[in-house]
Amino acid sequence: KNEVEQSPQNLTAQEGEFITINCSYSVGISALHWLQQHPGGGIVSLFMLSSGKKKHGRLIATINIQEKHSSLHITASHPRDSAVYICAVRGKPLQNTGNQFYFGTGTSLTVIP
Amino acid sequence: NAGVTQTPKFRVLKTGQSMTLLCAQDMNHEYMYWYRQDPGMGLRLIHYSVGEGTTAKGEVPDGYNVSRLKKQNFLLGLESAAPSQTSVYFCASSYSWVRGVTEAFFGQGTRLTVV
């Protein structure tokens, strides 16, 4: 079983396009994270969400707690956005999921100039 | 202000050899985690620690041991490396629940190859 599902697995876009990556989860959560991983590089946290919407520059993340779904949007995409984007959720300790994170398999994004 | 530092960054081992991966964080985080990342799979939890002197098994603990003798350090040991342990290993840390909902910080990863 996979507590976190992401789509698409791979995504190729032309520079300037609007990009959406989706994440669905099946466990009760306290927060959802969007992470970015560049090839051969470490993992960086982009957003932590527990409700609503957040925006950092060209990146926007939304979450719908009732539907257990989150989206990451990139406006005016650029080749430097090429990376793997990972959705991760943190369980609620009271639901016996501990304080652990559950990770999606990632979406590999390539933005072509 | 180093955040989470993993050493080494790369290592090649022969089957049966042992090694220790070190994770160090300077943020006074209570929780620390070791994950492995394999192609086509999400990060999988090996072991974690909720405080100094305490450790617990994660999803894939077999073949690994850990220790948290100091709050800032979390060590991952492979006693007898196997090719199936070829992977990229990530350490992460975060504050505990009593501080509210907080994010996790990740190290740069250790690429381990067992031949």
Side-chain angles (χ1 to χ4, degrees):
Chain A
K1 65 172 185 174
N2 197 357
E3 291 85 355
V4 181
E5 298 282 353
Q6 279 184 243
S7 63
Q9 281 190 314
N10 298 285
L11 183 56
T12 301
Q14 293 288 333
E15 183 173 356
E17 283 187 4
F18 180 85
I19 290 163
T20 296
I21 300 170
N22 295 300
C23 174
S24 297
Y25 54 91
S26 58
V27 295
I29 70 168
S30 58
L32 182 143
H33 299 251
W34 281 103
L35 311 171
Q36 181 190 57
Q37 184 178 24
H38 283 281
I43 296 171
V44 175
S45 178
L46 297 174
F47 293 102
M48 184 180 72
L49 293 163
S50 53
S51 65
K53 175 180 176 179
K54 285 191 176 180
K55 184 176 187 293
H56 289 157
R58 295 179 295 104
L59 274 61
I60 303 166
T62 64
I63 188 169
N64 184 317
I65 297 293
Q66 287 73 31
E67 294 185 3
K68 295 189 174 181
H69 181 270
S70 175
S71 293
L72 176 67
H73 305 286
I74 305 175
T75 62
S77 59
H78 190 276
R80 64 174 174 266
D81 297 326
S82 297
V84 174
Y85 293 84
I86 301 169
C87 174
V89 300
R90 192 166 197 183
K92 290 184 176 181
L94 294 179
Q95 293 188 2
N96 200 32
T97 51
N99 302 296
Q100 297 177 20
F101 292 85
Y102 301 90
F103 296 86
T105 55
T107 295
S108 179
L109 171 66
T110 303
V111 181
I112 300 170
Chain B
N1 189 17
V4 179
T5 304
Q6 287 181 235
T7 54
K9 290 185 170 51
F10 303 94
R11 186 73 185 268
V12 178
L13 284 180
K14 292 183 179 178
T15 298
Q17 284 186 320
S18 63
M19 78 164 293
T20 301
L21 283 67
L22 170 64
C23 177
Q25 52 93 6
D26 61 1
M27 295 169 283
N28 202 33
H29 286 166
E30 289 82 11
Y31 296 166
M32 296 186 76
Y33 311 82
W34 275 108
Y35 296 94
R36 59 178 289 172
Q37 185 181 42
D38 300 294
M41 306 182 78
L43 277 78
R44 292 183 293 168
L45 182 65
I46 305 170
H47 286 278
Y48 66 100
S49 168
V50 299
E52 182 179 328
T54 70
T55 63
K57 293 181 180 180
E59 181 185 353
V60 288
D62 294 341
Y64 305 95
N65 57 76
V66 288
S67 65
R68 183 111 180 257
L69 299 180
K70 294 183 179 179
K71 187 177 185 180
Q72 63 268 33
N73 295 335
F74 194 28
L75 279 65
L76 177 71
L78 286 73
E79 289 186 348
S80 180
S84 61
Q85 294 178 304
T86 294
S87 186
V88 181
Y89 292 85
F90 285 95
C91 175
S93 69
S94 72
Y95 286 118
S96 76
W97 280 108
V98 297
R99 299 182 191 241
V101 179
T102 64
E103 65 182 307
F105 293 82
F106 290 83
Q108 288 295 303
T110 297
R111 189 170 296 275
L112 175 66
T113 302
V114 183
V115 297

